[in-house]
Amino acid sequence: DHLKSASDLNIPLIGYMTQDGWQQERYPSHDFEEMSIKVAKDKNGKDVKFNFDMKGETLHVKVWQVEVGRVTLYLLDTNVPENPVSFRGITARLYGGDLEMRLWQEILLGIGGVKALDALGLEPSVIHM
């Protein structure tokens, strides 16, 4: 709703998806080849990827881009071959799993969100998480 409203008002907004206590998440199957999702590119045309230390190991993250009206949504993906199996599921389901998984997701959103913005060359004046 926030992204759609921002798009309608032509307000530049970068969105991160989250869940409040009243929402019910769904995990439908999608054919990503038919969706308007693509790998995010940096100013040199290279795939946006970054990594950082998580629990003494390197977490690798790939960034995807979706156009929602006139607003761009960036999605962080840990299901990449460079990650150990234990890290690949961090972005599989929003706030799914146990408390440790939730903590990993929040660390990814905080640290990874800022790293993604930096890798994309974006400098928002406000970040709301």
Side-chain angles (χ1 to χ4, degrees):
D1 292 342
H2 290 293
L3 291 175
K4 177 68 172 106
S5 296
S7 174
D8 291 345
L9 296 169
N10 200 24
I11 296 172
L13 177 68
I14 298 168
Y16 293 98
M17 295 181 73
T18 126
Q19 170 187 356
D20 65 25
W22 297 100
Q23 284 183 299
Q24 178 62 45
E25 67 276 2
R26 297 178 317 149
Y27 302 103
S29 295
H30 295 290
D31 182 356
F32 289 101
E33 297 295 323
E34 295 185 21
M35 297 177 72
S36 63
I37 187 170
K38 60 185 178 182
V39 176
K41 304 286 185 181
D42 66 15
K43 64 182 178 182
N44 297 317
K46 294 184 179 182
D47 293 358
V48 175
K49 298 178 182 179
F50 60 89
N51 61 64
F52 63 95
D53 182 72
M54 173 91 82
K55 201 177 169 188
E57 294 186 62
T58 302
L59 175 65
H60 298 270
V61 183
K62 183 175 186 175
V63 181
W64 294 85
Q65 178 178 334
V66 182
E67 299 303 323
V68 182
R70 293 184 298 251
V71 177
T72 302
L73 171 67
Y74 294 103
L75 302 170
L76 307 179
D77 184 10
T78 60
N79 188 18
V80 296
E82 299 88 353
N83 280 332
V85 173
S86 61
F87 283 169
R88 291 186 188 181
I90 293 174
T91 55
R93 292 181 182 250
L94 185 60
Y95 300 138
D98 58 17
L99 291 175
E100 183 177 33
M101 179 61 74
R102 170 111 187 220
L103 181 60
W104 287 3
Q105 290 175 337
E106 290 184 6
I107 291 169
L108 174 61
L109 179 59
I111 295 171
V114 171
K115 285 186 162 288
L117 293 172
D118 186 51
L120 290 160
L122 300 173
E123 299 179 6
S125 56
V126 176
I127 299 174
H128 174 82
M129 294 186 195

